[in-house]
Short mmCIF file of all heavy atoms in Angstrom, two decimals:
data_model
loop_
_atom_site.label_atom_id
_atom_site.label_comp_id
_atom_site.label_asym_id
_atom_site.label_seq_id
_atom_site.Cartn_x
_atom_site.Cartn_y
_atom_site.Cartn_z
N MET A 1 90.82 100.51 87.40
CA MET A 1 91.88 101.12 88.21
C MET A 1 93.11 101.42 87.37
O MET A 1 93.51 100.61 86.54
CB MET A 1 92.29 100.17 89.34
CG MET A 1 91.25 99.97 90.39
SD MET A 1 91.77 98.68 91.57
CE MET A 1 91.14 97.20 90.78
N SER A 2 93.70 102.59 87.63
CA SER A 2 94.89 102.99 86.90
C SER A 2 96.02 103.25 87.90
O SER A 2 95.79 103.75 88.99
CB SER A 2 94.58 104.28 86.13
OG SER A 2 95.76 104.85 85.63
N ALA A 3 97.25 102.88 87.50
CA ALA A 3 98.44 103.19 88.31
C ALA A 3 99.60 103.47 87.36
O ALA A 3 99.77 102.77 86.36
CB ALA A 3 98.80 102.02 89.22
N LEU A 4 100.36 104.49 87.66
CA LEU A 4 101.52 104.79 86.81
C LEU A 4 102.83 104.52 87.53
O LEU A 4 103.90 104.61 86.95
CB LEU A 4 101.46 106.25 86.32
CG LEU A 4 102.06 106.47 84.94
CD1 LEU A 4 101.18 105.87 83.87
CD2 LEU A 4 102.28 107.94 84.65
N LEU A 5 102.73 104.20 88.82
CA LEU A 5 103.95 103.95 89.61
C LEU A 5 103.97 102.50 90.08
O LEU A 5 102.94 101.97 90.52
CB LEU A 5 103.96 104.87 90.84
CG LEU A 5 103.77 106.36 90.59
CD1 LEU A 5 103.56 107.09 91.90
CD2 LEU A 5 105.00 106.93 89.88
N THR A 6 105.15 101.88 90.01
CA THR A 6 105.25 100.49 90.49
C THR A 6 104.92 100.42 91.98
O THR A 6 104.39 99.42 92.45
CB THR A 6 106.67 99.94 90.26
OG1 THR A 6 107.60 100.91 90.75
CG2 THR A 6 106.94 99.69 88.81
N THR A 7 105.20 101.51 92.70
CA THR A 7 104.97 101.51 94.15
C THR A 7 103.48 101.53 94.51
O THR A 7 103.12 101.18 95.63
CB THR A 7 105.64 102.75 94.79
OG1 THR A 7 105.25 103.91 94.04
CG2 THR A 7 107.14 102.64 94.79
N THR A 8 102.63 101.95 93.57
CA THR A 8 101.20 102.03 93.91
C THR A 8 100.40 100.85 93.33
O THR A 8 99.21 100.71 93.62
CB THR A 8 100.58 103.35 93.40
OG1 THR A 8 100.76 103.44 91.98
CG2 THR A 8 101.21 104.55 94.06
N MET A 9 101.06 100.01 92.54
CA MET A 9 100.34 98.90 91.90
C MET A 9 99.66 97.97 92.90
O MET A 9 98.58 97.45 92.64
CB MET A 9 101.30 98.07 91.04
CG MET A 9 101.58 98.68 89.69
SD MET A 9 103.01 97.90 88.90
CE MET A 9 102.51 96.20 88.74
N MET A 10 100.29 97.78 94.07
CA MET A 10 99.72 96.86 95.05
C MET A 10 98.37 97.34 95.60
O MET A 10 97.62 96.58 96.18
CB MET A 10 100.69 96.59 96.20
CG MET A 10 101.90 95.75 95.79
SD MET A 10 101.50 94.30 94.78
CE MET A 10 100.84 93.20 96.02
N GLN A 11 98.09 98.64 95.40
CA GLN A 11 96.79 99.16 95.82
C GLN A 11 95.66 98.52 95.00
O GLN A 11 94.52 98.44 95.44
CB GLN A 11 96.75 100.70 95.66
CG GLN A 11 97.54 101.44 96.72
CD GLN A 11 96.98 101.23 98.12
OE1 GLN A 11 95.76 101.18 98.32
NE2 GLN A 11 97.85 101.07 99.10
N MET A 12 96.00 98.08 93.79
CA MET A 12 95.02 97.39 92.95
C MET A 12 94.63 96.07 93.61
O MET A 12 93.46 95.69 93.65
CB MET A 12 95.60 97.14 91.55
CG MET A 12 95.82 98.41 90.76
SD MET A 12 96.67 98.11 89.20
CE MET A 12 96.28 99.63 88.32
N LYS A 13 95.64 95.40 94.14
CA LYS A 13 95.40 94.13 94.85
C LYS A 13 94.51 94.38 96.07
O LYS A 13 93.59 93.63 96.36
CB LYS A 13 96.74 93.53 95.28
CG LYS A 13 96.64 92.16 95.96
CD LYS A 13 98.04 91.57 96.16
CE LYS A 13 97.98 90.13 96.59
NZ LYS A 13 97.98 89.94 98.04
N ALA A 14 94.79 95.51 96.75
CA ALA A 14 94.00 95.86 97.95
C ALA A 14 92.52 96.05 97.58
O ALA A 14 91.62 95.65 98.32
CB ALA A 14 94.55 97.13 98.58
N THR A 15 92.27 96.63 96.40
CA THR A 15 90.88 96.85 95.98
C THR A 15 90.20 95.53 95.65
O THR A 15 89.04 95.31 96.02
CB THR A 15 90.84 97.81 94.76
OG1 THR A 15 91.49 99.03 95.11
CG2 THR A 15 89.42 98.12 94.35
N VAL A 16 90.92 94.65 94.95
CA VAL A 16 90.36 93.32 94.63
C VAL A 16 90.02 92.58 95.93
O VAL A 16 88.95 91.96 96.05
CB VAL A 16 91.34 92.50 93.74
CG1 VAL A 16 90.83 91.08 93.55
CG2 VAL A 16 91.54 93.17 92.39
N GLU A 17 90.91 92.68 96.91
CA GLU A 17 90.68 92.01 98.20
C GLU A 17 89.50 92.64 98.95
O GLU A 17 88.71 91.95 99.59
CB GLU A 17 91.95 92.06 99.06
CG GLU A 17 93.02 91.09 98.55
CD GLU A 17 94.38 91.29 99.21
OE1 GLU A 17 94.55 92.29 99.96
OE2 GLU A 17 95.28 90.47 98.95
N ALA A 18 89.39 93.97 98.85
CA ALA A 18 88.28 94.68 99.52
C ALA A 18 86.94 94.28 98.88
O ALA A 18 85.92 94.15 99.58
CB ALA A 18 88.48 96.19 99.44
N LEU A 19 86.95 94.07 97.57
CA LEU A 19 85.73 93.60 96.86
C LEU A 19 85.33 92.22 97.37
O LEU A 19 84.16 91.95 97.61
CB LEU A 19 86.00 93.51 95.36
CG LEU A 19 85.56 94.64 94.44
CD1 LEU A 19 85.86 94.27 93.00
CD2 LEU A 19 84.09 95.00 94.59
N GLN A 20 86.35 91.37 97.53
CA GLN A 20 86.13 90.00 98.03
C GLN A 20 85.51 90.05 99.42
O GLN A 20 84.52 89.38 99.70
CB GLN A 20 87.48 89.28 98.07
CG GLN A 20 87.41 87.87 98.62
CD GLN A 20 87.35 86.84 97.50
OE1 GLN A 20 88.07 86.91 96.54
NE2 GLN A 20 86.45 85.87 97.65
N ALA A 21 86.10 90.91 100.27
CA ALA A 21 85.64 91.03 101.65
C ALA A 21 84.20 91.55 101.71
O ALA A 21 83.43 91.19 102.61
CB ALA A 21 86.57 91.96 102.44
N ALA A 22 83.84 92.38 100.73
CA ALA A 22 82.49 92.96 100.70
C ALA A 22 81.48 92.02 100.05
O ALA A 22 80.29 92.33 99.94
CB ALA A 22 82.52 94.29 99.96
N GLY A 23 81.98 90.86 99.60
CA GLY A 23 81.10 89.89 98.96
C GLY A 23 80.68 90.29 97.55
O GLY A 23 79.66 89.84 97.03
N LEU A 24 81.48 91.17 96.92
CA LEU A 24 81.11 91.67 95.59
C LEU A 24 81.99 91.11 94.47
O LEU A 24 81.73 91.38 93.31
CB LEU A 24 81.21 93.21 95.57
CG LEU A 24 80.17 93.97 96.40
CD1 LEU A 24 80.49 95.45 96.42
CD2 LEU A 24 78.77 93.74 95.87
N LYS A 25 83.03 90.36 94.84
CA LYS A 25 83.91 89.83 93.80
C LYS A 25 83.12 88.88 92.90
O LYS A 25 82.39 88.04 93.37
CB LYS A 25 85.12 89.12 94.41
CG LYS A 25 86.15 88.73 93.35
CD LYS A 25 87.53 88.65 93.94
CE LYS A 25 88.61 88.19 92.99
NZ LYS A 25 88.39 88.21 91.59
N GLY A 26 83.24 89.09 91.60
CA GLY A 26 82.45 88.28 90.67
C GLY A 26 81.22 89.04 90.20
O GLY A 26 80.88 89.04 89.04
N LYS A 27 80.59 89.75 91.15
CA LYS A 27 79.42 90.58 90.77
C LYS A 27 79.90 91.88 90.16
O LYS A 27 79.30 92.41 89.23
CB LYS A 27 78.57 90.89 92.01
CG LYS A 27 77.92 89.65 92.62
CD LYS A 27 77.13 90.02 93.87
CE LYS A 27 76.80 88.78 94.69
NZ LYS A 27 76.57 89.07 96.09
N VAL A 28 80.97 92.43 90.73
CA VAL A 28 81.58 93.65 90.18
C VAL A 28 82.93 93.25 89.59
O VAL A 28 83.81 92.76 90.31
CB VAL A 28 81.77 94.74 91.27
CG1 VAL A 28 82.43 95.98 90.69
CG2 VAL A 28 80.43 95.10 91.90
N LYS A 29 83.08 93.42 88.29
CA LYS A 29 84.32 93.02 87.62
C LYS A 29 85.39 94.10 87.77
O LYS A 29 85.07 95.29 87.92
CB LYS A 29 84.07 92.79 86.13
CG LYS A 29 82.98 91.76 85.83
CD LYS A 29 83.43 90.36 86.17
CE LYS A 29 82.43 89.32 85.72
NZ LYS A 29 82.81 87.98 86.09
N THR A 30 86.66 93.69 87.72
CA THR A 30 87.76 94.65 87.84
C THR A 30 88.65 94.61 86.61
O THR A 30 88.97 93.54 86.09
CB THR A 30 88.62 94.32 89.08
OG1 THR A 30 88.93 92.92 89.08
CG2 THR A 30 87.91 94.68 90.37
N VAL A 31 89.03 95.81 86.15
CA VAL A 31 89.97 95.90 85.03
C VAL A 31 91.05 96.90 85.43
O VAL A 31 90.77 97.92 86.07
CB VAL A 31 89.25 96.31 83.72
CG1 VAL A 31 88.56 97.65 83.85
CG2 VAL A 31 90.21 96.35 82.54
N ILE A 32 92.31 96.55 85.13
CA ILE A 32 93.41 97.42 85.55
C ILE A 32 94.30 97.79 84.37
O ILE A 32 94.32 97.10 83.35
CB ILE A 32 94.27 96.75 86.66
CG1 ILE A 32 94.95 95.47 86.14
CG2 ILE A 32 93.42 96.44 87.89
CD1 ILE A 32 95.94 94.85 87.14
N GLY A 33 95.00 98.91 84.52
CA GLY A 33 95.91 99.35 83.46
C GLY A 33 96.84 100.43 83.97
O GLY A 33 96.71 100.91 85.10
N GLY A 34 97.78 100.83 83.12
CA GLY A 34 98.79 101.82 83.49
C GLY A 34 100.15 101.33 83.04
O GLY A 34 100.34 100.13 82.85
#
């Protein structure tokens, strides 16, 4: 995941949480930058 704005960074957290909810956290790794 990439973000160039401080206002959109929290969307990265939303994706990590969505992975957790889908039972995929740990199976699908996440890397972020920007």
Side-chain angles (χ1 to χ4, degrees):
M1 292 174 271
S2 169
L4 212 71
L5 307 170
T6 48
T7 50
T8 58
M9 280 165 61
M10 289 315 284
Q11 286 297 321
M12 293 173 162
K13 183 172 191 268
T15 303
V16 174
E17 286 169 352
L19 262 184
Q20 178 98 44
L24 291 173
K25 188 153 176 17
K27 294 178 195 156
V28 179
K29 304 289 187 183
T30 48
V31 60
I32 63 173

